[in-house]
Amino acid sequence: MFHFRKIVFPLFMATALLCSCSQADDDTAGNGDKEKTQEQYNVVFQLQSNSSSMTRSVEDSYNHVQGTADEYKVNVARAYFFDSKTKLLSKSAPLTGITYNGTNASGNVIYEAEPISVPMGTYDIFVIANTNRQFKKDKEDEFLADIDSLSYVQAVVEDISGGIIMSNRASENLGTVISKKNDNDVNVVSITLERVLARLDVAKAEETFELTDDKGEKYASVTLDGYYIVNLPKYYYTFRHTAVLTTLEEPQWDVNTNFGNVSDVNGYVIDPYFFQKTIDAAAFANADKYYERFSANYSNPDYVKWDKFNAVSATPNYKTIYCLENCTLAPAQKNGYSTGVLFKAILEPNNNVYTLNSAGALVLVTDKQSYPETLYFFQQKFYASADALAAAVVASGLSTGKYQARKFEKTDDGYRCYYKYWIRHLDNNSPGEMGVMEFGIVRNNLYRMLITGVSDLGDGGSIIDPNTPDEGETYLKVVLNVKPWTVRDLTNIVL
């Protein structure tokens, strides 16, 4: 549960009182005549951008990433004051004169707004930034249940120059007292804003990775030359939703229990389609296009438009993608729902392609130009035909029902293989056992993914089986840092 902070900065207060109190675009609901007779008191907002403190996630690195001004700036914001007792809207007003005021010790960016006048009272305060949409609900529960229909319809947000939509955690600023102060003092309300987006960074340590057998001998090389992100949601809740769940049963939403921190026991972050993601992922048809780049479409590789990315030694080092949160109940953490990254690669055999000669014996193909259109892979060797593969299986003494052979088709670029990686939010450190919130993407987090190696050849096709659990072998060696999306270097801030 979050606790709000009421902070007093005397030097700032004196300056703030010199500013005009903005009443432009000021909406007041209910008790209009009563408010005219009530004395108004100045309220100064301090807006903190960047913080993802108390977000339940992996934190395996204390290295912080320098952000861009577009990622943390607050252009516009609106505050909503609900009476804490009656839960009725008392006031809605834009915050004007928003100015950058440096960073605090935690690396959070601080903005300050001109004071607005509010009647004395105790309020539940909600702030939404970087959107012109106004909520027209007079009751607090209806206000919180209002899902923002103006979504990032392209799922991957390419342009954030207008600022990322942000909101405070709805449970954080409840019961805030606005009261009469001394002549040189004002009420100060500290608001911590969260972005509704998450950030995903993708990179590879090398252009080409070598594969070696148990004796350390190279049997192939793999060059990752493209990636594609699958299952990207297009809708979001304006305020972050959470719940404690053991079954797929939607709770009665309550501001004190469902709009704040995530419980350590069976605690989930909830997205707008959470309760439609059943255990049978193959039955989810995406009929109303909730997902962009839906995983069911990848049986045809031509469907995918691949993004290119460079090794970290090149520029830019990481490719950055901004996307919405995507979470499911633990048993439903499957490839048909979860956000993942599909990689394509070119594989090159290392002089270990075999064929059958006229006597039916396996012999090495010495001329690479005569490699066939289809290669079969078995026990770290390649075979030029199904018959050659069968001969190798017989020679190995393995049962045909037990050996695993793979088939790779030749393209204009070479032999293709594919790798899949599902974004892990919270590792339960139990391989093979799915954990609560283990796979998913949560707003205001940064997922930095660096491919450092390849342990085996990938699949021969880019097909995704929706019912495959996210927990499984990927054949990619990945360093994934899930960290607070904070900023440490703001020397070149531009607003």
Side-chain angles (χ1 to χ4, degrees):
M1 192 70 185
F2 273 74
H3 300 282
F4 63 87
R5 294 187 299 155
K6 293 191 277 289
I7 309 174
V8 176
F9 298 101
L11 293 177
F12 169 67
M13 310 275 179
T15 304
L17 287 175
L18 298 177
C19 302
S20 61
C21 297
S22 174
Q23 298 296 326
D25 195 22
D26 190 340
D27 299 328
T28 303
N31 299 323
D33 293 336
K34 181 180 179 181
E35 182 176 340
K36 291 179 182 178
T37 62
Q38 279 188 294
E39 189 172 358
Q40 305 283 305
Y41 296 102
N42 285 327
V43 177
V44 171
F45 279 88
Q46 290 197 327
L47 307 176
Q48 297 188 72
S49 172
N50 278 349
S51 177
S52 56
S53 60
M54 298 184 72
T55 295
R56 185 168 183 261
S57 66
V58 180
E59 174 53 37
D60 57 2
S61 171
Y62 290 95
N63 297 319
H64 293 270
V65 177
Q66 179 176 346
T68 67
D70 289 341
E71 289 181 346
Y72 48 75
K73 69 181 177 182
V74 177
N75 292 320
V76 295
R78 174 172 283 271
Y80 298 84
F81 295 80
F82 285 85
D83 185 285
S84 290
K85 184 176 181 180
T86 67
K87 303 301 181 182
L88 297 176
L89 180 65
S90 296
K91 188 182 185 72
S92 166
L95 304 182
T96 60
I98 298 173
T99 57
Y100 167 70
N101 197 42
T103 59
N104 63 13
S106 299
N108 297 326
V109 181
I110 305 298
Y111 292 89
E112 293 170 345
E114 292 180 353
I116 60 175
S117 57
V118 179
M120 181 174 64
T122 302
Y123 297 98
D124 297 343
I125 302 175
F126 310 99
V127 175
I128 305 167
N130 295 333
T131 177
N132 293 321
R133 182 174 188 258
Q134 295 184 35
F135 290 81
K136 300 295 185 180
K137 303 293 183 181
D138 293 336
K139 298 180 180 179
E140 184 174 296
D141 57 348
E142 294 178 357
F143 171 81
L144 292 172
D146 190 6
I147 301 172
D148 197 332
S149 60
L150 301 178
S151 65
Y152 293 111
V153 294
Q154 65 272 60
V156 176
V157 181
E158 306 289 350
D159 182 11
I160 60 167
S161 59
I164 298 173
I165 296 174
M166 306 181 194
S167 63
N168 63 331
R169 293 194 182 177
S171 65
E172 185 172 1
N173 296 91
L174 305 180
T176 301
V177 176
I178 305 300
S179 61
K180 185 176 181 179
K181 299 290 183 181
N182 297 327
D183 292 341
N184 294 324
D185 207 353
V186 294
N187 293 274
V188 175
V189 176
S190 179
I191 300 289
T192 299
L193 293 172
E194 294 185 306
R195 308 168 185 85
V196 301
L197 298 177
R199 172 175 158 180
L200 172 62
D201 290 351
V202 182
K204 55 189 176 183
E206 304 288 344
E207 292 290 347
T208 300
F209 299 98
E210 293 187 351
L211 292 170
T212 57
D213 59 22
D214 295 338
K215 298 179 181 179
E217 297 180 1
K218 176 182 173 182
Y219 65 87
S221 62
V222 171
T223 301
L224 296 173
D225 62 346
Y227 71 93
Y228 194 78
I229 303 175
V230 303
N231 290 342
L232 291 166
K234 296 191 291 186
Y235 307 106
Y236 63 94
Y237 286 119
T238 301
F239 295 96
R240 183 177 176 214
H241 287 43
T242 62
V244 174
L245 300 171
T246 55
T247 61
L248 199 66
E249 183 176 349
E250 189 166 1
Q252 295 294 317
W253 298 105
D254 175 75
V255 67
N256 292 291
T257 56
N258 299 118
F259 292 88
N261 199 21
V262 186
S263 171
D264 287 334
V265 180
N266 295 321
Y268 288 90
V269 173
I270 309 298
D271 65 52
Y273 263 44
F274 186 95
F275 296 100
Q276 297 189 40
K277 302 172 189 175
T278 63
I279 307 306
D280 184 7
F284 186 81
N286 197 38
D288 52 1
K289 308 300 182 185
Y290 170 70
Y291 282 121
E292 187 173 294
R293 303 181 179 182
F294 185 45
S295 64
N297 293 313
Y298 303 121
S299 58
N300 180 5
D302 294 334
Y303 175 84
V304 179
K305 182 180 178 182
W306 300 94
D307 293 312
K308 295 183 179 295
F309 67 128
N310 299 320
V312 293
S313 58
T315 302
N317 292 341
Y318 282 82
K319 299 297 284 290
T320 293
I321 302 95
Y322 302 101
C323 55
L324 296 170
E325 62 192 353
N326 183 20
C327 302
T328 56
L329 196 71
Q333 291 176 152
K334 296 181 176 181
N335 295 180
Y337 298 130
S338 299
T339 300
V341 187
L342 181 64
F343 296 92
K344 71 183 177 84
I346 295 294
L347 74 89
E348 183 176 348
N350 187 46
N351 300 317
N352 54 351
V353 177
Y354 292 84
T355 189
L356 290 175
N357 63 13
S358 58
L362 288 168
V363 294
L364 187 67
V365 179
T366 57
D367 181 12
K368 291 184 179 182
Q369 299 301 318
S370 64
Y371 283 177
E373 293 299 309
T374 301
L375 281 180
Y376 297 87
F377 180 72
F378 174 65
Q379 287 194 318
Q380 300 173 336
K381 293 182 176 63
F382 297 90
Y383 299 91
S385 67
D387 290 340
L389 171 65
V393 172
V394 171
S396 70
L398 296 176
S399 167
T400 56
K402 294 183 178 180
Y403 77 85
Q404 292 185 351
R406 276 167 276 176
K407 181 171 68 174
F408 301 101
E409 302 293 342
K410 195 174 186 180
T411 68
D412 292 340
D413 300 317
Y415 295 100
R416 280 285 176 202
C417 68
Y418 301 87
Y419 297 88
K420 307 176 186 76
Y421 188 87
W422 305 97
I423 303 301
R424 191 187 299 268
H425 177 73
L426 182 68
D427 196 343
N428 67 347
N429 296 313
S430 236
E433 179 183 338
M434 202 74 73
V436 171
M437 286 294 296
E438 184 165 9
F439 291 89
I441 288 184
V442 177
R443 68 178 63 191
N444 212 55
N445 275 261
L446 187 154
Y447 300 84
R448 172 155 282 195
M449 177 179 176
L450 175 63
I451 301 172
T452 60
V454 177
S455 62
D456 199 352
L457 294 179
D459 300 325
S462 59
I463 296 175
I464 295 176
D465 179 0
N467 270 335
T468 299
D470 296 335
E471 184 89 67
E473 179 59 67
T474 67
Y475 302 128
L476 291 176
K477 298 176 182 178
V478 176
V479 175
L480 179 68
N481 291 329
V482 185
K483 60 186 72 177
W485 190 354
T486 57
V487 177
R488 283 293 181 261
D489 183 358
L490 296 178
T491 55
N492 297 318
I493 185 170
V494 177
L495 298 178

